[in-house]
């Protein structure tokens, strides 16, 4: 080998090393860091769009006279959620070194120069990390919104949501994702069947319990009167946007763009959603003799919530089983809560709490570490989160009930929260308010 | 050149080679594989959102009394589509070595460790491949849904859709994308003007033919009574979501994130959509003296379907021409089918079948291999797909018609499929069902 | 060090250099170019979806009798916007070497082989560049659409939009983003608080002024009659889609996938949006005693417009301050324009013009080069853009008013533009047009 060849090779090499220092110096190249961070930012955008999904789903499944109120609540939640998470939540949830139960890294998000390089994390910058987690946080309070719809006093709900998203959710989240005691114990919850959905679901249950059912929902002799949703296209838009958003919710929880893990996660997520739809569809068809759109839509959500705890590690058959079982469960859960007269207008407790518990336990049944030991740990996690999330939601809602009150007056409820709380209609031209505004007939 | 310099260079090189083995060992680096796969996953999400586009478009262009039924059908299709494709479709469409006409790689999707690396494909993992193709498959049956809307019996349509998406579409797809006889012949269909849209369009035509027109659409003396769509914002949402989804449909069909090819494809796709809108708008304006929103929206879809077969190889002028001509064609096609009393509530046959054929032939006129030879091959492909897709759709629908029946009763059709099939309204508060549910006036 | 080792190293190196020539030859690797371009394409898709956001927002905030017309206008704008930008706009906005005031690189977009490599730009191909900028261009005319809604003559608006998007916007854009005189002066507008939003806002103001208020909006004794929007879920969908789209609008304006800059930009953008929501919510609550959904939604947009000029360089506190102040401003701006009887049905002037000016000035207050000098330069930019954008919009609208007329007849306005201009309803089944089309009651 001639010397000239070696010299050329060495020179080319140095050019290469200088041009791409990250390759030689760190565990991940600048390119890999950029593509990882790109996926995490896109996942953030997808989780953001779930807030529109929740807003349209909830407004579609409730009456037209409460639509403005629902849209207002959901707009408020994402806004206050982002701001409280910037102010305290992120540092509560990821406190760094802490005792495993409670820690706080200080007020307001901020970082140094290293925070925006792969020195912070090979998968994302500090800012991406914050925003992705902030979008998650806000979903938790949104879940509660559906269960208390059509009768909750606006100001009370706003206070509840602020505390729940700003304190309860991130504090409880630290137990697992912040590296706390449940993480140390081996509890597994990939993307939040428990940490997000059950926690939100417990809040929803507490709210529905303390509020009581909507006027006219249950008659004195114990029968249930269906209160149909006012806008099924809106509800359908909501569920499809939530499914889309779940690509980011679960896919982003890989915390990098790892091709194997993310693509597997999207497949398990989608198959569980599809199986949930069919499970709920056929179950409700068998029971009610008619195929029910609302139940089918809730079946999709049930499958999605169910797969979330183990979406990174399920086989195809397991994904289908988890989703289909979630779809069956959600139908019976909705019937059960109606039977015990807990009025949940959109089925939030059935979808997020019940299927969240199912998904968390399913990790111990179908997951990589399936077994009685893991199942026990999953069960402990479910209990621990249930006790504290439910307890704290009861406490917040209870205090509000004792002070400023939790529920609108019967007159306001009859009139609709849109007029009572906001002085406007969501669909004025359709309510006959504005003469001629539909155009000539 | 001192020895020390060479030694440092060689050491750095080994670090480099070890750190990024893909660079040295394979045709594509780990980074390139990751970014390719990322784009394919995002394209998958974009194609997924097309299902919401179809659902909102179809529900917007039909009457409010059938809206729940339409939303239900579309929710079912994406769910059953994913599951049948996992069960059999993917292995039917990509059977590996086969005789070019029919092959099957076995039930259910599964892969080994190599399936999630670039050893499977430089552009994506096995799971991404499956999910991207599965989202495509489901669109094919959705196209049929629009043409048979407002009168098809739900159970019959569900059976048809299951067979069509689970068997017909993937089998026919194998002829080209699976490496079958039409691929060997040189037939070109980049992203599915024929394989997806025409195949779906042939199914739509078969369904519309066997069902006959909706009650009241054509009077006895042969005149056509327009049945206006109930919700134009929904229809518009549908078309914009479809355009968005087409970024993934065509852009993802590059099968990698190749900057040159994907960006060209997005430009040709968007210009064709825009030209289709203007083509249909001005054509319908000239004919009806009023600018028609539905036609303009269908013009966008016409342009998108038209460019799909050659979106990776068209010049700007060609893209505009293909789109504009598609926009003109769709207006005349809608009028033609009305004249021969084939009732297609959303214009699915005109958009997907007619413009799908146009786009496929356009590859032989404007494409890189344009010429009479290529045009002939494209024509053969159109004929072959037409014969078998139309024939098999006629057979499935025909068998259903002879057995459980294809059409609801006149009473059910008059009442609306929402009540007849599902026992509910899509917009109960607006139908005056729930007193007071719009709020006080 | 043995010779064999060196020889192996050199061979591996050559493989490496051959396999990834970009690494050695250019400033950016093929992988980095691919990921950068990928982000820019996704940002393009996100900006595209803003057009659906504008369409749904505008149709939600206006009366049902004008909904088809609004959807038609917005569909037209994105179509004609893309085509005129391909035809002339792109080459007007980025003319290459020019005198700083006006330049034109020739008709129609086209490129050579280098245009699709990183030789064109390290962040994107020529085609991505064109499409991203084309999507921006079309938003500018869409802003005008909202202010002239419910009374503008369709043909006149179409001519205005074609000229404004095809000529005015790209010409004015060249002053800064094309490297013109304001760029040379140090004027800063990261993603278009002035170049897009204020320019559109000036057009909106000109249109609203020349058209005059809608019939019945202001009584003879000077009082204002609210004309409520017909569909609040649509308006909410619009604002959430716009927020989502802004991830691409601002995030894409980084012009690469740079992890640090893009993720910071998404955080400042989202925090400003959230702060804008709260700012407008509490301001309108304090004034009107009821929390107003429309104002809260406009507060989100106000925050987004406000942060746009400096989204790449703001601290967290500054982002919150800019957004919150924008939210307060937009409420008072809406009240101000109502007081002086400028009727802007969706608040486009308040959101895009007033908050666009605020955001541009905020760069001189909170930005990296904050100070009286920068503030002065920002002020000069605001004035220059205002003078020419407002002047040219007045000229175009004025000429149209003198020739074919700008406003529909009072009869047409009363009847609604859907019937008058398009001969159809947006919601026929709800208007009682089609008997029985809602289904039995």
């Amino acid at each position: 080998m001639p010397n000239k060849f070696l010299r050329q090779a060495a020179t080319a090499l140095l050019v290469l090393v200088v041009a791409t220092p990250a390759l030689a110096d760190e565990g991940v190249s600048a390119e890999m860091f950029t593509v990882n961070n790109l996926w995490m930012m896109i996942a953030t955008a997808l989780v953001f769009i779930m807030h529109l999904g929740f807003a349209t789903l909830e407004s579609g499944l409730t009456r037209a006279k409460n639509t403005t109120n629902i849209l207002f609540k959901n707009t408020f939640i994402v806004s206050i959620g982002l701001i409280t998470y910037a102010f305290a939540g992120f540092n509560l949830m990821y406190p760094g070194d802490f005792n495993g139960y409670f820690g706080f890294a200080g007020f307001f998000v901020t970082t140094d120069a290293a925070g925006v390089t792969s020195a912070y994390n090979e998968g994302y910058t500090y800012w991406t990390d914050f925003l992705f987690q902030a979008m998650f946080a806000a979903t938790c309070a949104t879940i509660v919104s559906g269960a208390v719809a059509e009768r909750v006093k606006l100001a009370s709900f706003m206070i509840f949501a602020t505390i729940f998203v700003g304190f309860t959710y991130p504090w409880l989240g630290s137990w697992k994702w912040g590296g706390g005691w449940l993480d140390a114990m081996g509890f597994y919850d990939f993307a939040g069947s428990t940490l997000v959905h059950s926690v939100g679901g417990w809040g929803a249950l507490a709210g529905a319990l303390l509020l009581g059912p909507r006027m006219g929902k249950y008659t004195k002799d114990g029968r249930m009167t269906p209160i149909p949703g006012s806008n099924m296209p809106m509800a359908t838009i909501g569920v499809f946007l939530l499914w889309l958003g779940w690509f980011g919710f679960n896919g982003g929880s890989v915390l990098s763009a790892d091709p194997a893990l993310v693509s597997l996660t999207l497949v398990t997520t989608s198959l569980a959603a599809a199986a949930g739809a069919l499970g709920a569809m056929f179950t409700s068809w068998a029971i009610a003799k008619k195929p029910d759109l609302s139940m089918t839509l809730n079946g999709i959500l049930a499958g999605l919530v169910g797969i979330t705890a183990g979406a990174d590690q399920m086989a195809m058959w397991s994904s289908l089983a988890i989703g289909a079982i979630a779809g069956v469960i959600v139908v019976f859960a909705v019937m059960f809560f109606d039977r015990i007269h807990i009025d949940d207008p959109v089925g939030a407790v059935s979808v997020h709490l019940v299927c969240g518990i199912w998904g968390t336990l399913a990790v111990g049944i179908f997951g990589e570490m399936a077994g009685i030991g893991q199942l026990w740990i999953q069960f402990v996690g479910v209990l621990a989160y249930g006790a504290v999330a439910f307890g704290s939601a009861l406490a917040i809602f209870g205090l509000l009930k004792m002070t400023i009150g939790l529920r609108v007056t019967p007159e306001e409820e009859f009139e609709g929260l849109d007029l009572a709380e906001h002085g406007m209609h969501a669909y004025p031209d359709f309510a006959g308010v504005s003469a001629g505004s539909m155009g000539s007939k």
Side-chain angles (χ1 to χ4, degrees), chain A:
Chain A
M1 185 176 280
N3 224 24
K4 196 183 153 202
F5 176 63
L6 283 175
R7 212 180 305 132
Q8 285 177 333
T11 308
L13 173 64
L14 285 189
V15 167
L16 201 64
V17 170
V18 168
T20 59
L23 275 172
D25 298 328
E26 293 168 22
V28 68
S29 67
E31 283 81 359
M32 194 60 98
F33 179 59
T34 305
V35 64
N36 280 341
N37 182 69
L38 175 55
W39 168 236
M40 294 306 297
M41 294 192 303
I42 292 166
T44 302
L46 290 169
V47 179
F48 167 73
I49 212 59
M50 292 176 74
H51 291 282
L52 178 58
F54 279 115
T56 47
L57 173 64
E58 189 181 340
S59 67
L61 291 183
T62 50
R63 283 168 294 183
K65 67 181 174 184
N66 298 310
T67 298
T68 299
N69 182 252
I70 284 163
L71 299 169
F72 185 89
K73 283 191 303 176
N74 280 278
T75 305
F76 171 75
I77 288 170
V78 65
S79 301
I80 197 73
L82 286 174
I83 289 177
T84 57
Y85 207 73
F87 187 68
F90 189 56
N91 288 337
L92 261 169
M93 192 151 169
Y94 301 95
D97 292 332
F98 78 124
N99 57 25
Y101 296 91
F102 187 89
F104 185 47
F107 287 105
F108 226 61
V109 288
T110 184
T111 189
D112 55 14
V116 292
T117 70
S118 60
Y120 177 72
N121 186 296
E122 295 186 356
Y124 41 79
T125 68
Y126 176 86
W127 295 121
T128 304
D129 192 13
F130 157 69
L131 199 60
F132 180 68
Q133 300 297 343
M135 293 296 177
F136 261 65
T139 60
C140 195
T142 297
I143 291 166
V144 183
S145 170
V148 300
E150 308 205 273
R151 59 210 191 277
V152 76
K153 197 178 264 194
L154 178 64
S156 297
F157 180 75
M158 288 169 71
I159 295 169
F160 170 82
T162 305
I163 301 172
F164 205 68
V165 72
F167 180 76
T168 308
Y169 167 81
W171 167 42
L172 296 187
S174 74
W175 289 359
K176 166 63 188 159
W177 293 343
W181 68 277
L182 274 165
D183 191 51
M185 187 193 264
F187 177 68
Y188 197 79
D189 187 4
F190 172 61
S193 284
T194 284
L195 269 76
V196 180
H197 295 282
S198 284
V199 166
W202 286 114
L205 181 61
L209 269 174
L210 287 186
L211 274 169
R214 289 168 290 173
M215 283 168 53
K217 173 77 179 177
Y218 306 107
T219 57
K220 282 183 182 166
D221 56 349
R223 275 175 307 176
M224 190 269 284
T225 314
I227 300 179
S230 58
N231 197 326
M232 295 316 293
M234 277 296 146
T236 307
I237 286 176
V239 168
F240 274 78
L241 289 184
L242 284 165
W243 187 338
L244 174 72
W246 238 285
F247 276 50
F249 197 89
N250 284 1
S253 291
V254 170
L255 302 179
S256 80
D258 183 276
L261 266 178
V262 181
S263 64
L264 174 67
T265 297
L266 298 192
V267 170
T268 60
T269 299
S270 293
L271 288 183
L278 298 189
M281 177 194 300
F282 289 117
T283 306
S284 64
W285 204 335
I287 293 173
K289 310 300 171 207
K290 298 257 185 188
D292 189 277
L293 175 61
S294 312
M295 278 298 181
T296 305
L297 294 174
N298 267 337
I300 287 175
L301 299 183
L304 289 167
V305 170
I307 197 68
T308 291
D312 61 330
Q313 53 177 253
M314 292 300 165
M316 294 304 101
W317 287 110
S318 308
S319 308
L320 288 172
I322 291 171
I325 293 170
V328 175
I329 287 176
V330 79
V331 176
F332 286 103
V334 165
M335 290 167 58
F336 169 77
F337 287 114
D338 259 338
R339 192 153 308 161
I340 63 170
H341 289 199
I342 293 179
D343 184 19
D344 175 3
V346 305
V349 179
S350 302
V351 166
H352 297 279
L353 174 56
V354 180
C355 292
I357 292 174
W358 158 240
T360 308
L361 298 178
V363 171
I365 303 171
F366 298 99
E368 283 172 1
M369 296 167 298
I372 193 72
Q374 185 66 31
L375 190 58
W376 171 250
I377 295 174
Q378 298 298 105
F379 185 67
V380 169
V382 165
L383 278 188
Y385 274 102
V388 185
F390 188 57
S392 78
L394 273 182
I396 307 169
F397 274 132
L399 275 171
L400 288 165
K401 191 170 182 176
M402 289 187 291
T403 52
I404 61 174
L406 209 53
R407 187 162 178 154
V408 298
T409 66
E411 291 73 29
E412 290 171 324
E413 188 175 341
F414 177 77
E415 183 183 46
L417 274 64
D418 287 5
L419 269 182
E421 296 272 20
H422 305 275
M424 64 182 285
H425 288 83
Y427 305 99
D429 296 1
F430 302 84
V433 172
S434 316
S437 52
M438 286 296 289
S440 314
K441 298 195 178 178

